[in-house]
Amino acid sequence: MTADKLPALAPDTLRITPLGGLGEVGRNMTVFEMNGRLLIVDCGVLFPNDDQPGVDLILPDYSSILDRLDDVVAIVLTHGHEDHIGAVPFLLKRRPDIPLIGSTLTLALIEAKLHEHRITPYTLSVREGDVEELGQFTCEFIAVNHSIPDALAVNITTKAGSVLHTGDFKMDQLPLDGRITDLRAFARMGEAGVDLFMVDSTNAEVPGFTIHEREIGPVIDSVFTRAPGKIVVASFASHVHRIQQVLDAAAAHERKVAFVGRSMVRNMAIAAKLGFLHYPDGVVVDLKQLHQLPDHRQVIVATGSQGEPMAALARMAKGTHKIGIGEGDTVIFASSLIPGNENSIFRVINGLMARGAAVVHQGTARVHVSGHASAGELLYCYNIVQPANVLPIHGEIRHLVANAALAASTGIRRENIFVCDNGHVLDLHNGKVTIAGQIPCELVFVDGSSVGEITEMELKDRRILGEEGFVSAFAVVNLREREIVAGPHLQARGIAEDDRVFEKITPQVYDALADALDSGKDDPYALQQVMRRVIGQYASKRLRRRPMIIPVVVPHE
């Protein structure tokens, strides 16, 4: 069903369409429509996995609103993580003056990103307790605790009813910055009546309560105590609280810290300027100054905690970075392991350990805690808010299903809990939610400068090239005389040391091509298919491979 085939939206009805973030961890984006106006909450990216070679980023599929961008009243950004703000530059290239609404830190991070794209946005900074009238939507912002400072939930009130969108959140009662999730505001929203509760699902499978962030500090301190050489800390470039604990440990152990990686350097400078990160006196230096110190006084905070091949840490593991890793050095993975990245991360860990480094990660020590509410916290929220309807968001299918089960256990009726896919369209009217239909919602791949031009078929070709190899076959034929003038010549890549593996098959390809000409075939495409079939059968039976085969037949007069 396309957007133009959906049922017409009745007056004073709120339409909610998630365009990303359901069934996946990333590219979070939801569109709200009311009386001809659109409000967008979050616009993030998803990072590719191993079976998407060459892809840089994956965007939400916002094709359904491209012809309606003039109707967008604002983009509300709940916090500054890439999976919530990373796609904003790509959307603003279509309409640069869409207002961006968010907290001080969130807007500073997205403005820096937009500057690289030569876009100067219109922004409106908000904080908890603020209420903004955005066209048909009244938005009240609520403080929530997450793994990045200054995160917000948003309560959207319309003539159709109210929607409470948590963003990403947890209920850490002892946060480093003292800013806790405002459950009193959640309770107040619940008393007024929440018609739809859109709830972060990422940790819904995890029982109990998420551990306090401050419990990481003593573990990091103990690692610093034992480390004889340089220390490398790999973290997300936006994890300000975690970096603060690293800086404090470095100061306590008389070490200096240098940031490595463009996004890390940029984000930490922004956080420090705005007061969200405190540099202990003299601890932070540039990399040149750090290199002048002995190893036991060096700390490097770098990107690459997810095993990204071009990030600083992966290059250190390969020995191609200017920072060398060796015996006596310690590497701390101070971040979560995002599903789908396991192979890349363990590849980097193995590379570091092969160079003699000691590697500390969440599987061996408590150097990371989640930024998302676990099952116990979610139960608290459901009991406090007591929503009429629930839409689990932000997570894979298993997370959404687990979150739905938690909602049901608190007494919310199953028929009022909606486990949806990206592209599902929900209508809210007079407190009742119905599914109006579903629109196509594809993965939009960014590959270099191309956006949306790479298809799944082309990715399949890349996977075949990478896993099975490539064979080209070239022949020149005289179609009038029905004879082979030159060739066939076969070349292989990614299959064997050289082309000799196909010497046995070349006469068979010649004979098959000659037989086809003798039988009356004079279409170059049909002759190419003959060569493809013979080569494919040989590769499958003898080599147990299914390479990409590119046959070329050139007519000759």
Side-chain angles (χ1 to χ4, degrees), residues 181-225:
T181 294
D182 191 351
L183 296 180
R184 291 179 300 176
F186 276 30
R188 178 167 51 83
M189 306 297 173
E191 287 293 328
V194 171
D195 295 303
L196 180 63
F197 195 23
M198 299 177 65
V199 190
D200 177 15
S201 305
T202 309
N203 262 8
E205 289 184 312
V206 180
F209 292 75
T210 301
I211 296 166
H212 305 310
E213 176 70 29
R214 66 175 59 231
E215 293 191 20
I216 300 298
V219 180
I220 292 176
D221 187 79
S222 68
V223 174
F224 273 56
T225 300

mmCIF file of all heavy atoms in Angstrom, residues 181-225:
data_model
loop_
_atom_site.group_PDB
_atom_site.id
_atom_site.type_symbol
_atom_site.label_atom_id
_atom_site.label_comp_id
_atom_site.label_asym_id
_atom_site.label_seq_id
_atom_site.Cartn_x
_atom_site.Cartn_y
_atom_site.Cartn_z
ATOM 1 N N THR A 181 15.589 10.770 35.361
ATOM 2 C CA THR A 181 14.353 10.731 34.580
ATOM 3 C C THR A 181 13.210 11.257 35.445
ATOM 4 O O THR A 181 13.008 10.801 36.580
ATOM 5 C CB THR A 181 14.062 9.294 34.125
ATOM 6 O OG1 THR A 181 15.078 8.890 33.200
ATOM 7 C CG2 THR A 181 12.705 9.182 33.452
ATOM 8 N N ASP A 182 12.455 12.213 34.911
ATOM 9 C CA ASP A 182 11.425 12.915 35.681
ATOM 10 C C ASP A 182 10.142 12.082 35.738
ATOM 11 O O ASP A 182 9.210 12.287 34.961
ATOM 12 C CB ASP A 182 11.160 14.286 35.061
ATOM 13 C CG ASP A 182 10.302 15.173 35.949
ATOM 14 O OD1 ASP A 182 9.774 14.663 36.964
ATOM 15 O OD2 ASP A 182 10.152 16.364 35.632
ATOM 16 N N LEU A 183 10.106 11.158 36.699
ATOM 17 C CA LEU A 183 8.932 10.302 36.836
ATOM 18 C C LEU A 183 7.725 11.080 37.345
ATOM 19 O O LEU A 183 6.577 10.672 37.110
ATOM 20 C CB LEU A 183 9.254 9.129 37.760
ATOM 21 C CG LEU A 183 10.320 8.162 37.249
ATOM 22 C CD1 LEU A 183 10.559 7.043 38.258
ATOM 23 C CD2 LEU A 183 9.930 7.575 35.895
ATOM 24 N N ARG A 184 7.956 12.190 38.046
ATOM 25 C CA ARG A 184 6.824 13.018 38.470
ATOM 26 C C ARG A 184 6.096 13.591 37.260
ATOM 27 O O ARG A 184 4.866 13.656 37.237
ATOM 28 C CB ARG A 184 7.312 14.141 39.387
ATOM 29 C CG ARG A 184 7.803 13.660 40.746
ATOM 30 C CD ARG A 184 8.302 14.805 41.588
ATOM 31 N NE ARG A 184 9.418 15.498 40.950
ATOM 32 C CZ ARG A 184 9.999 16.595 41.441
ATOM 33 N NH1 ARG A 184 9.560 17.119 42.580
ATOM 34 N NH2 ARG A 184 11.009 17.150 40.822
ATOM 35 N N ALA A 185 6.875 13.985 36.238
ATOM 36 C CA ALA A 185 6.237 14.475 35.013
ATOM 37 C C ALA A 185 5.510 13.349 34.300
ATOM 38 O O ALA A 185 4.401 13.540 33.788
ATOM 39 C CB ALA A 185 7.290 15.099 34.091
ATOM 40 N N PHE A 186 6.121 12.155 34.263
ATOM 41 C CA PHE A 186 5.436 11.003 33.671
ATOM 42 C C PHE A 186 4.113 10.743 34.385
ATOM 43 O O PHE A 186 3.077 10.475 33.751
ATOM 44 C CB PHE A 186 6.328 9.764 33.774
ATOM 45 C CG PHE A 186 7.348 9.625 32.664
ATOM 46 C CD1 PHE A 186 7.876 10.728 32.032
ATOM 47 C CD2 PHE A 186 7.789 8.372 32.270
ATOM 48 C CE1 PHE A 186 8.814 10.608 31.023
ATOM 49 C CE2 PHE A 186 8.729 8.229 31.253
ATOM 50 C CZ PHE A 186 9.245 9.350 30.637
ATOM 51 N N ALA A 187 4.134 10.825 35.731
ATOM 52 C CA ALA A 187 2.911 10.593 36.498
ATOM 53 C C ALA A 187 1.866 11.658 36.199
ATOM 54 O O ALA A 187 0.662 11.356 36.081
ATOM 55 C CB ALA A 187 3.239 10.563 37.987
ATOM 56 N N ARG A 188 2.320 12.905 36.065
ATOM 57 C CA ARG A 188 1.394 13.993 35.740
ATOM 58 C C ARG A 188 0.756 13.783 34.376
ATOM 59 O O ARG A 188 -0.446 13.992 34.193
ATOM 60 C CB ARG A 188 2.148 15.327 35.801
ATOM 61 C CG ARG A 188 1.307 16.534 35.438
ATOM 62 C CD ARG A 188 2.025 17.825 35.816
ATOM 63 N NE ARG A 188 3.391 17.885 35.308
ATOM 64 C CZ ARG A 188 3.716 18.258 34.073
ATOM 65 N NH1 ARG A 188 2.767 18.577 33.198
ATOM 66 N NH2 ARG A 188 4.989 18.316 33.715
ATOM 67 N N MET A 189 1.581 13.335 33.407
ATOM 68 C CA MET A 189 1.020 13.024 32.081
ATOM 69 C C MET A 189 -0.008 11.904 32.200
ATOM 70 O O MET A 189 -1.070 11.943 31.568
ATOM 71 C CB MET A 189 2.136 12.595 31.117
ATOM 72 C CG MET A 189 3.299 13.553 30.974
ATOM 73 S SD MET A 189 2.827 15.134 30.299
ATOM 74 C CE MET A 189 4.374 16.028 30.482
ATOM 75 N N GLY A 190 0.328 10.888 33.017
ATOM 76 C CA GLY A 190 -0.593 9.778 33.195
ATOM 77 C C GLY A 190 -1.905 10.209 33.816
ATOM 78 O O GLY A 190 -2.982 9.743 33.413
ATOM 79 N N GLU A 191 -1.854 11.116 34.791
ATOM 80 C CA GLU A 191 -3.077 11.619 35.421
ATOM 81 C C GLU A 191 -3.943 12.357 34.407
ATOM 82 O O GLU A 191 -5.175 12.251 34.431
ATOM 83 C CB GLU A 191 -2.722 12.552 36.574
ATOM 84 C CG GLU A 191 -2.182 11.856 37.810
ATOM 85 C CD GLU A 191 -3.231 11.001 38.499
ATOM 86 O OE1 GLU A 191 -4.423 11.366 38.447
ATOM 87 O OE2 GLU A 191 -2.863 9.953 39.069
ATOM 88 N N ALA A 192 -3.304 13.101 33.520
ATOM 89 C CA ALA A 192 -4.058 13.834 32.485
ATOM 90 C C ALA A 192 -4.588 12.898 31.415
ATOM 91 O O ALA A 192 -5.559 13.216 30.726
ATOM 92 C CB ALA A 192 -3.170 14.908 31.867
ATOM 93 N N GLY A 193 -3.937 11.722 31.280
ATOM 94 C CA GLY A 193 -4.364 10.738 30.287
ATOM 95 C C GLY A 193 -3.419 10.666 29.105
ATOM 96 O O GLY A 193 -3.312 11.633 28.337
ATOM 97 N N VAL A 194 -2.714 9.539 28.985
ATOM 98 C CA VAL A 194 -1.835 9.295 27.838
ATOM 99 C C VAL A 194 -2.535 8.297 26.922
ATOM 100 O O VAL A 194 -2.775 7.152 27.306
ATOM 101 C CB VAL A 194 -0.458 8.751 28.299
ATOM 102 C CG1 VAL A 194 0.360 8.306 27.090
ATOM 103 C CG2 VAL A 194 0.301 9.810 29.090
ATOM 104 N N ASP A 195 -2.876 8.751 25.737
ATOM 105 C CA ASP A 195 -3.611 7.891 24.806
ATOM 106 C C ASP A 195 -2.702 6.889 24.109
ATOM 107 O O ASP A 195 -3.132 5.787 23.771
ATOM 108 C CB ASP A 195 -4.344 8.754 23.773
ATOM 109 C CG ASP A 195 -5.420 9.615 24.416
ATOM 110 O OD1 ASP A 195 -6.308 9.056 25.070
ATOM 111 O OD2 ASP A 195 -5.334 10.852 24.291
ATOM 112 N N LEU A 196 -1.432 7.267 23.867
ATOM 113 C CA LEU A 196 -0.463 6.348 23.257
ATOM 114 C C LEU A 196 0.891 6.571 23.902
ATOM 115 O O LEU A 196 1.399 7.690 23.927
ATOM 116 C CB LEU A 196 -0.379 6.575 21.742
ATOM 117 C CG LEU A 196 0.600 5.658 20.992
ATOM 118 C CD1 LEU A 196 0.188 4.191 21.107
ATOM 119 C CD2 LEU A 196 0.705 6.059 19.516
ATOM 120 N N PHE A 197 1.453 5.489 24.413
ATOM 121 C CA PHE A 197 2.766 5.521 25.069
ATOM 122 C C PHE A 197 3.759 4.838 24.137
ATOM 123 O O PHE A 197 3.658 3.630 23.889
ATOM 124 C CB PHE A 197 2.672 4.789 26.407
ATOM 125 C CG PHE A 197 3.811 5.028 27.353
ATOM 126 C CD1 PHE A 197 4.612 6.155 27.278
ATOM 127 C CD2 PHE A 197 4.064 4.115 28.385
ATOM 128 C CE1 PHE A 197 5.645 6.376 28.172
ATOM 129 C CE2 PHE A 197 5.099 4.321 29.287
ATOM 130 C CZ PHE A 197 5.887 5.458 29.178
ATOM 131 N N MET A 198 4.696 5.600 23.591
ATOM 132 C CA MET A 198 5.728 5.072 22.707
ATOM 133 C C MET A 198 6.988 4.875 23.546
ATOM 134 O O MET A 198 7.597 5.853 23.998
ATOM 135 C CB MET A 198 5.974 6.013 21.533
ATOM 136 C CG MET A 198 4.736 6.211 20.658
ATOM 137 S SD MET A 198 4.969 7.395 19.287
ATOM 138 C CE MET A 198 6.201 6.550 18.297
ATOM 139 N N VAL A 199 7.398 3.602 23.742
ATOM 140 C CA VAL A 199 8.353 3.265 24.797
ATOM 141 C C VAL A 199 9.595 2.580 24.234
ATOM 142 O O VAL A 199 9.497 1.611 23.470
ATOM 143 C CB VAL A 199 7.698 2.342 25.842
ATOM 144 C CG1 VAL A 199 8.602 2.183 27.054
ATOM 145 C CG2 VAL A 199 6.332 2.862 26.260
ATOM 146 N N ASP A 200 10.756 3.073 24.639
ATOM 147 C CA ASP A 200 12.056 2.470 24.305
ATOM 148 C C ASP A 200 12.072 0.995 24.709
ATOM 149 O O ASP A 200 11.794 0.649 25.860
ATOM 150 C CB ASP A 200 13.140 3.250 25.056
ATOM 151 C CG ASP A 200 14.541 2.694 24.875
ATOM 152 O OD1 ASP A 200 14.758 1.876 23.963
ATOM 153 O OD2 ASP A 200 15.433 3.103 25.657
ATOM 154 N N SER A 201 12.435 0.111 23.757
ATOM 155 C CA SER A 201 12.373 -1.333 23.986
ATOM 156 C C SER A 201 13.735 -2.010 24.065
ATOM 157 O O SER A 201 13.806 -3.227 24.285
ATOM 158 C CB SER A 201 11.585 -2.002 22.846
ATOM 159 O OG SER A 201 10.314 -1.435 22.688
ATOM 160 N N THR A 202 14.822 -1.284 23.905
ATOM 161 C CA THR A 202 16.134 -1.888 23.677
ATOM 162 C C THR A 202 16.535 -2.894 24.755
ATOM 163 O O THR A 202 17.156 -3.914 24.466
ATOM 164 C CB THR A 202 17.204 -0.786 23.566
ATOM 165 O OG1 THR A 202 16.773 0.191 22.613
ATOM 166 C CG2 THR A 202 18.536 -1.361 23.136
ATOM 167 N N ASN A 203 16.183 -2.625 26.012
ATOM 168 C CA ASN A 203 16.576 -3.510 27.114
ATOM 169 C C ASN A 203 15.389 -4.268 27.706
ATOM 170 O O ASN A 203 15.482 -4.746 28.842
ATOM 171 C CB ASN A 203 17.254 -2.702 28.236
ATOM 172 C CG ASN A 203 18.768 -2.757 28.159
ATOM 173 O OD1 ASN A 203 19.323 -3.264 27.193
ATOM 174 N ND2 ASN A 203 19.435 -2.235 29.162
ATOM 175 N N ALA A 204 14.303 -4.394 26.971
ATOM 176 C CA ALA A 204 13.091 -5.000 27.522
ATOM 177 C C ALA A 204 13.278 -6.460 27.905
ATOM 178 O O ALA A 204 12.558 -6.981 28.757
ATOM 179 C CB ALA A 204 11.937 -4.863 26.522
ATOM 180 N N GLU A 205 14.250 -7.130 27.286
ATOM 181 C CA GLU A 205 14.516 -8.533 27.612
ATOM 182 C C GLU A 205 15.362 -8.702 28.874
ATOM 183 O O GLU A 205 15.478 -9.804 29.400
ATOM 184 C CB GLU A 205 15.255 -9.220 26.454
ATOM 185 C CG GLU A 205 14.421 -9.469 25.223
ATOM 186 C CD GLU A 205 15.215 -10.243 24.188
ATOM 187 O OE1 GLU A 205 16.372 -9.861 23.909
ATOM 188 O OE2 GLU A 205 14.680 -11.223 23.658
ATOM 189 N N VAL A 206 15.966 -7.616 29.342
ATOM 190 C CA VAL A 206 16.898 -7.689 30.466
ATOM 191 C C VAL A 206 16.124 -7.542 31.776
ATOM 192 O O VAL A 206 15.468 -6.520 32.000
ATOM 193 C CB VAL A 206 17.972 -6.592 30.362
ATOM 194 C CG1 VAL A 206 18.941 -6.676 31.534
ATOM 195 C CG2 VAL A 206 18.711 -6.703 29.035
ATOM 196 N N PRO A 207 16.170 -8.529 32.662
ATOM 197 C CA PRO A 207 15.407 -8.427 33.913
ATOM 198 C C PRO A 207 16.011 -7.400 34.868
ATOM 199 O O PRO A 207 17.183 -7.028 34.762
ATOM 200 C CB PRO A 207 15.507 -9.844 34.494
ATOM 201 C CG PRO A 207 16.752 -10.420 33.903
ATOM 202 C CD PRO A 207 16.882 -9.811 32.539
ATOM 203 N N GLY A 208 15.184 -6.952 35.788
ATOM 204 C CA GLY A 208 15.677 -6.071 36.840
ATOM 205 C C GLY A 208 15.877 -4.641 36.389
ATOM 206 O O GLY A 208 15.111 -4.121 35.575
ATOM 207 N N PHE A 209 16.936 -4.024 36.922
ATOM 208 C CA PHE A 209 17.196 -2.607 36.703
ATOM 209 C C PHE A 209 18.596 -2.412 36.133
ATOM 210 O O PHE A 209 19.527 -3.136 36.476
ATOM 211 C CB PHE A 209 17.078 -1.835 38.029
ATOM 212 C CG PHE A 209 15.684 -1.774 38.560
ATOM 213 C CD1 PHE A 209 15.098 -2.880 39.166
ATOM 214 C CD2 PHE A 209 14.934 -0.618 38.430
ATOM 215 C CE1 PHE A 209 13.809 -2.831 39.650
ATOM 216 C CE2 PHE A 209 13.634 -0.558 38.902
ATOM 217 C CZ PHE A 209 13.061 -1.667 39.515
ATOM 218 N N THR A 210 18.723 -1.441 35.260
ATOM 219 C CA THR A 210 20.027 -1.127 34.678
ATOM 220 C C THR A 210 20.956 -0.577 35.760
ATOM 221 O O THR A 210 20.560 0.251 36.581
ATOM 222 C CB THR A 210 19.871 -0.101 33.548
ATOM 223 O OG1 THR A 210 19.002 -0.649 32.541
ATOM 224 C CG2 THR A 210 21.208 0.233 32.914
ATOM 225 N N ILE A 211 22.190 -1.032 35.741
ATOM 226 C CA ILE A 211 23.190 -0.658 36.756
ATOM 227 C C ILE A 211 23.523 0.832 36.630
ATOM 228 O O ILE A 211 23.496 1.415 35.541
ATOM 229 C CB ILE A 211 24.449 -1.522 36.569
ATOM 230 C CG1 ILE A 211 24.104 -2.984 36.831
ATOM 231 C CG2 ILE A 211 25.572 -1.077 37.481
ATOM 232 C CD1 ILE A 211 25.137 -3.957 36.363
ATOM 233 N N HIS A 212 23.871 1.445 37.758
ATOM 234 C CA HIS A 212 24.222 2.865 37.774
ATOM 235 C C HIS A 212 25.504 3.120 36.987
ATOM 236 O O HIS A 212 26.471 2.363 37.070
ATOM 237 C CB HIS A 212 24.423 3.351 39.216
ATOM 238 C CG HIS A 212 23.257 3.102 40.114
ATOM 239 N ND1 HIS A 212 21.975 3.458 39.786
ATOM 240 C CD2 HIS A 212 23.182 2.523 41.345
ATOM 241 C CE1 HIS A 212 21.152 3.118 40.764
ATOM 242 N NE2 HIS A 212 21.859 2.539 41.723
ATOM 243 N N GLU A 213 25.526 4.230 36.274
ATOM 244 C CA GLU A 213 26.711 4.635 35.519
ATOM 245 C C GLU A 213 27.920 4.817 36.438
ATOM 246 O O GLU A 213 29.039 4.468 36.073
ATOM 247 C CB GLU A 213 26.433 5.938 34.768
ATOM 248 C CG GLU A 213 27.618 6.524 34.018
ATOM 249 C CD GLU A 213 28.050 5.726 32.801
ATOM 250 O OE1 GLU A 213 27.192 5.067 32.187
ATOM 251 O OE2 GLU A 213 29.251 5.754 32.484
ATOM 252 N N ARG A 214 27.696 5.317 37.654
ATOM 253 C CA ARG A 214 28.831 5.607 38.531
ATOM 254 C C ARG A 214 29.551 4.341 38.998
ATOM 255 O O ARG A 214 30.662 4.422 39.524
ATOM 256 C CB ARG A 214 28.400 6.453 39.717
ATOM 257 C CG ARG A 214 27.456 5.796 40.690
ATOM 258 C CD ARG A 214 27.201 6.712 41.893
ATOM 259 N NE ARG A 214 26.630 7.994 41.484
ATOM 260 C CZ ARG A 214 27.119 9.165 41.864
ATOM 261 N NH1 ARG A 214 28.180 9.208 42.632
ATOM 262 N NH2 ARG A 214 26.549 10.293 41.489
ATOM 263 N N GLU A 215 28.948 3.158 38.806
ATOM 264 C CA GLU A 215 29.631 1.916 39.178
ATOM 265 C C GLU A 215 30.779 1.591 38.227
ATOM 266 O O GLU A 215 31.610 0.735 38.517
ATOM 267 C CB GLU A 215 28.631 0.760 39.233
ATOM 268 C CG GLU A 215 27.614 0.883 40.352
ATOM 269 C CD GLU A 215 26.807 -0.370 40.568
ATOM 270 O OE1 GLU A 215 27.262 -1.458 40.138
ATOM 271 O OE2 GLU A 215 25.718 -0.278 41.164
ATOM 272 N N ILE A 216 30.816 2.270 37.077
ATOM 273 C CA ILE A 216 31.907 2.057 36.116
ATOM 274 C C ILE A 216 33.209 2.668 36.633
ATOM 275 O O ILE A 216 34.296 2.146 36.401
ATOM 276 C CB ILE A 216 31.539 2.684 34.754
ATOM 277 C CG1 ILE A 216 30.275 2.047 34.201
ATOM 278 C CG2 ILE A 216 32.684 2.539 33.759
ATOM 279 C CD1 ILE A 216 30.406 0.579 33.934
ATOM 280 N N GLY A 217 33.114 3.790 37.355
ATOM 281 C CA GLY A 217 34.307 4.522 37.778
ATOM 282 C C GLY A 217 35.330 3.678 38.515
ATOM 283 O O GLY A 217 36.519 3.670 38.143
ATOM 284 N N PRO A 218 34.937 2.941 39.582
ATOM 285 C CA PRO A 218 35.933 2.124 40.294
ATOM 286 C C PRO A 218 36.572 1.045 39.423
ATOM 287 O O PRO A 218 37.749 0.708 39.621
ATOM 288 C CB PRO A 218 35.104 1.502 41.431
ATOM 289 C CG PRO A 218 33.958 2.426 41.632
ATOM 290 C CD PRO A 218 33.639 2.958 40.264
ATOM 291 N N VAL A 219 35.812 0.495 38.467
ATOM 292 C CA VAL A 219 36.371 -0.539 37.585
ATOM 293 C C VAL A 219 37.433 0.078 36.677
ATOM 294 O O VAL A 219 38.521 -0.485 36.496
ATOM 295 C CB VAL A 219 35.258 -1.204 36.754
ATOM 296 C CG1 VAL A 219 35.850 -2.276 35.841
ATOM 297 C CG2 VAL A 219 34.192 -1.800 37.666
ATOM 298 N N ILE A 220 37.125 1.228 36.109
ATOM 299 C CA ILE A 220 38.109 1.914 35.266
ATOM 300 C C ILE A 220 39.345 2.260 36.083
ATOM 301 O O ILE A 220 40.488 2.084 35.634
ATOM 302 C CB ILE A 220 37.484 3.181 34.633
ATOM 303 C CG1 ILE A 220 36.405 2.790 33.616
ATOM 304 C CG2 ILE A 220 38.560 4.044 33.978
ATOM 305 C CD1 ILE A 220 35.672 3.967 33.008
ATOM 306 N N ASP A 221 39.136 2.711 37.319
ATOM 307 C CA ASP A 221 40.259 3.063 38.180
ATOM 308 C C ASP A 221 41.153 1.845 38.442
ATOM 309 O O ASP A 221 42.394 1.959 38.431
ATOM 310 C CB ASP A 221 39.733 3.629 39.498
ATOM 311 C CG ASP A 221 40.849 4.165 40.368
ATOM 312 O OD1 ASP A 221 41.323 5.288 40.107
ATOM 313 O OD2 ASP A 221 41.270 3.450 41.303
ATOM 314 N N SER A 222 40.530 0.681 38.650
ATOM 315 C CA SER A 222 41.331 -0.527 38.921
ATOM 316 C C SER A 222 42.119 -0.949 37.687
ATOM 317 O O SER A 222 43.254 -1.432 37.800
ATOM 318 C CB SER A 222 40.426 -1.663 39.390
ATOM 319 O OG SER A 222 39.583 -2.117 38.344
ATOM 320 N N VAL A 223 41.541 -0.765 36.505
ATOM 321 C CA VAL A 223 42.279 -1.071 35.269
ATOM 322 C C VAL A 223 43.476 -0.141 35.127
ATOM 323 O O VAL A 223 44.583 -0.564 34.771
ATOM 324 C CB VAL A 223 41.359 -0.973 34.041
ATOM 325 C CG1 VAL A 223 42.162 -1.149 32.751
ATOM 326 C CG2 VAL A 223 40.249 -2.020 34.104
ATOM 327 N N PHE A 224 43.280 1.137 35.427
ATOM 328 C CA PHE A 224 44.386 2.100 35.371
ATOM 329 C C PHE A 224 45.491 1.717 36.354
ATOM 330 O O PHE A 224 46.678 1.870 36.058
ATOM 331 C CB PHE A 224 43.868 3.510 35.683
ATOM 332 C CG PHE A 224 43.340 4.257 34.487
ATOM 333 C CD1 PHE A 224 42.337 3.725 33.696
ATOM 334 C CD2 PHE A 224 43.847 5.498 34.153
ATOM 335 C CE1 PHE A 224 41.844 4.419 32.599
ATOM 336 C CE2 PHE A 224 43.376 6.201 33.065
ATOM 337 C CZ PHE A 224 42.368 5.654 32.280
ATOM 338 N N THR A 225 45.098 1.224 37.514
ATOM 339 C CA THR A 225 46.086 0.854 38.534
ATOM 340 C C THR A 225 46.996 -0.272 38.048
ATOM 341 O O THR A 225 48.201 -0.279 38.314
ATOM 342 C CB THR A 225 45.368 0.416 39.826
ATOM 343 O OG1 THR A 225 44.578 1.502 40.312
ATOM 344 C CG2 THR A 225 46.363 -0.006 40.898
#
